[in-house]
């Protein structure tokens, strides 16, 4: 069901957080390279911000951070900023570089689980100062979505999302698919939550609402000792061994073929099994852009399930990595972590059983 935003007399307050990225950058006249600029640059180039029918405050990272330099520490800082201001604002918009935006939105979806307020990440492929920039529309619409309320005065989208090029997507369902097109992000395995045309139409059926009794639980830790193992034909035993025996390793996201298939050579299975015996959690996700892991469909996948590899179902790699970081930082056994990796926490996966 799609519905338009309801009119509501209460004036929302939105906090705009600028972390860095192309949307707030300007060309150096001497080198032609893009450099981070002060946040006031956005206001100077967007007089439309003054015409919004709600209140917008802003803060920025000092200094701004290119998204390729985003770290776990920045995710925790963002979560802390939002947590400390949760009672002062009705929604949050995070301006972020596109390269790692899917990772950040996924991490925030777990760190802010139960917040019950909009946290909308957006950015642009071209700086705000460019004539043909996509930044203005992305920012203005993200702000409007963060401020949108239903007839009861509740937020239309009380979850962590990415808005980009007319589409609002659940943050932990997105992947970046283009380096040079305005439609840089897609949500392959889950419907979009809203589409901005003449009106902003919300897909209410697929928006996740937390029960009031659930409550907001803050999380201030993520496990850093995670690795990604991407399979390819000809991968050697030495390469796999070097990843699975890395010092302090606690979790691995295995990017397998198709519906969760992997080599069945003894050396490969034995290395995975040895890692699991050492209490390293291994989660299987597919390299395919769409679809889900079904390890019991073929024998090659069934071998992984037999030795204790967890299924990531239709999670993106970005989400599987950040979810594993989140769970391993909790007081959980490896078996409990594996169990929760296979079950949805905040709408990040759909089971197919």
């Amino acid at each position: 069901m799609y519905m338009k935003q309801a009119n509501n007399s209460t004036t929302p307050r939105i906090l705009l957080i600028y972390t860095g990225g192309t949307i707030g950058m300007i060309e150096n006249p001497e080198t032609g390279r893009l450099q981070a600029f002060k946040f006031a640059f956005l206001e100077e180039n967007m007089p439309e911000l003054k015409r919004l029918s709600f209140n917008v405050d802003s803060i920025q990272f000092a200094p701004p951070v290119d998204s390729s330099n985003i770290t776990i520490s920045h995710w925790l800082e963002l979560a802390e900023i939002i947590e400390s201001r949760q009672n002062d604002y009705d929604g949050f918009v995070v301006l972020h570089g596109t390269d790692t935006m899917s990772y950040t939105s996924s991490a925030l979806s777990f760190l802010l689980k139960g917040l019950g307020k909009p946290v909308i990440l957006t950015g642009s492929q071209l700086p705000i100062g460019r004539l043909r920039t996509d930044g203005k529309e992305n920012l203005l619409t993200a702000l409007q979505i963060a401020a949108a309320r239903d007839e009861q005065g509740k937020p239309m989208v009380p979850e962590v999302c990415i808005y980009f090029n007319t589409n609002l997507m659940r943050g932990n369902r997105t992947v970046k698919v283009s380096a040079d097109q305005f439609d840089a992000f897609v949500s392959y395995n889950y419907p979009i939550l809203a589409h901005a045309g003449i009106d902003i139409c919300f897909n209410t059926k697929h928006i996740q609402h937390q029960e009031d009794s659930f409550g907001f639980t803050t999380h201030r830790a993520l496990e850093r000792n995670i690795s990604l193992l991407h399979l390819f034909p000809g991968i050697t035993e030495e390469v796999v061994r070097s990843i699975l025996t890395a010092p302090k390793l606690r979790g691995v996201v295995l990017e397998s073929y198709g519906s969760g298939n992997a080599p069945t050579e003894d050396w490969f299975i034995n290395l995975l099994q040895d890692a699991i015996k050492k209490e390293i959690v291994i989660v299987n996700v597919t390299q395919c852009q769409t679809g889900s892991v079904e390890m019991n469909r073929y024998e090659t996948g069934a071998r992984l399930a037999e030795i204790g590899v967890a299924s990531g179902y239709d999670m993106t790699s970005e989400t599987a990595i950040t979810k594993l970081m989140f769970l391993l930082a909790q007081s959980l056994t490896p078996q409990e972590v594996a169990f929760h990796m296979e079950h949805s926490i905040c709408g990040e996966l759909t089971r197919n059983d």
Side-chain angles (χ1 to χ4, degrees):
M1 174 184 178
Y2 281 87
M3 65 178 292
K4 298 178 183 179
Q5 174 186 352
N7 292 323
N8 193 282
S9 58
T10 303
T11 302
R13 293 190 65 194
I14 306 301
L15 180 63
L16 184 60
I17 307 169
Y18 176 60
T19 67
T22 299
I23 194 168
M25 301 184 91
I26 188 172
E27 283 188 356
N28 184 309
E30 296 180 359
T31 66
R33 295 175 181 172
L34 295 177
Q35 298 177 338
F37 201 75
K38 293 182 180 179
F39 184 82
F41 177 73
L42 293 178
E43 298 176 306
E44 292 171 4
N45 283 269
M46 290 187 63
E48 298 92 340
L49 290 172
K50 298 179 182 178
R51 298 174 58 188
L52 296 172
S53 59
F54 48 87
N55 300 318
V56 179
D57 295 329
S58 62
I59 60 174
Q60 73 177 87
F61 277 20
V65 182
D66 187 282
S67 67
S68 61
N69 288 323
I70 286 288
T71 67
I72 287 176
S73 297
H74 295 118
W75 296 341
L76 297 175
E77 181 180 354
L78 267 174
E80 184 176 353
I81 289 171
I82 293 170
E83 176 208 342
S84 65
R85 292 163 174 80
Q86 61 171 312
N87 295 324
D88 299 324
Y89 293 95
D90 301 290
F92 302 85
V93 171
V94 179
L95 297 182
H96 194 288
T98 59
D99 286 347
T100 57
M101 190 185 294
S102 289
Y103 288 95
T104 298
S105 61
S106 295
L108 289 178
S109 72
F110 300 115
L111 291 170
L112 300 174
K113 181 168 63 75
L115 176 65
K117 293 185 178 182
V119 178
I120 314 299
L121 283 81
T122 193
S124 65
Q125 296 286 61
L126 289 173
I128 284 288
R130 291 277 187 90
L131 183 63
R132 293 184 55 251
T133 181
D134 56 330
K136 288 187 177 182
E137 193 278 330
N138 285 346
L139 174 54
L140 289 170
T141 306
L143 287 167
Q144 289 179 312
I145 290 172
R149 296 295 179 267
D150 63 17
E151 294 178 351
Q152 287 74 44
K154 295 183 177 180
M156 293 293 297
V157 190
E159 54 176 296
V160 178
C161 302
I162 286 179
Y163 176 78
F164 223 86
N165 194 44
T166 75
N167 287 329
L168 181 72
M169 297 155 280
R170 179 168 294 161
N172 56 35
R173 292 286 193 156
T174 63
V175 292
K176 184 179 180 181
V177 295
S178 177
D180 57 7
Q181 298 296 317
F182 287 154
D183 52 346
F185 292 87
V186 297
S187 174
Y188 283 120
N189 287 325
Y190 197 78
I192 63 171
L193 303 185
H195 177 75
I198 294 176
D199 296 303
I200 301 175
C201 294
F202 294 88
N203 190 355
T204 56
K205 177 181 178 181
H206 295 287
I207 295 172
Q208 182 167 268
H209 292 267
Q210 297 283 358
E211 297 296 332
D212 293 338
S213 59
F214 184 86
F216 175 41
T217 303
T218 58
H219 300 277
R220 295 183 177 274
L222 292 170
E223 174 59 54
R224 298 170 184 267
N225 292 297
I226 306 296
S227 186
L228 179 68
L229 175 54
H230 181 94
L231 297 183
F232 57 90
I235 191 169
T236 65
E237 180 176 352
E238 290 73 22
V239 168
V240 175
R241 185 186 303 278
S242 68
I243 293 173
L244 296 179
T245 59
K248 300 181 181 180
L249 182 67
R250 295 193 62 201
V252 176
V253 173
L254 173 66
E255 288 187 334
S256 61
Y257 307 125
S259 58
N261 302 311
T264 55
E265 295 176 80
D266 288 342
W267 66 262
F268 182 76
I269 298 297
N270 290 339
L271 284 174
L272 293 179
Q273 195 166 25
D274 289 345
I276 292 171
K277 288 178 180 178
K278 295 176 183 176
E279 299 192 331
I280 296 172
V281 180
I282 302 179
V283 183
N284 188 6
V285 299
T286 177
Q287 297 178 15
C288 298
Q289 292 181 322
T290 64
S292 179
V293 164
E294 298 179 51
M295 288 193 290
N296 291 321
R297 178 181 291 185
Y298 299 102
E299 181 180 355
T300 51
R303 290 288 301 277
L304 300 181
E306 290 170 1
I307 64 173
V309 174
S311 174
Y313 291 93
D314 61 351
M315 276 192 295
T316 65
S317 294
E318 293 90 335
T319 296
I321 289 170
T322 54
K323 184 178 180 180
L324 199 52
M325 289 176 171
F326 171 76
L327 290 173
L328 286 171
Q330 312 305 313
S331 298
L332 300 171
T333 66
Q335 293 73 28
E336 290 171 331
V337 171
F339 173 84
H340 288 296
M341 287 299 298
E342 296 188 332
H343 294 80
S344 177
I345 294 177
C346 46
E348 73 279 5
L349 66 82
T350 302
R351 290 178 63 99
N352 49 13
D353 50 18

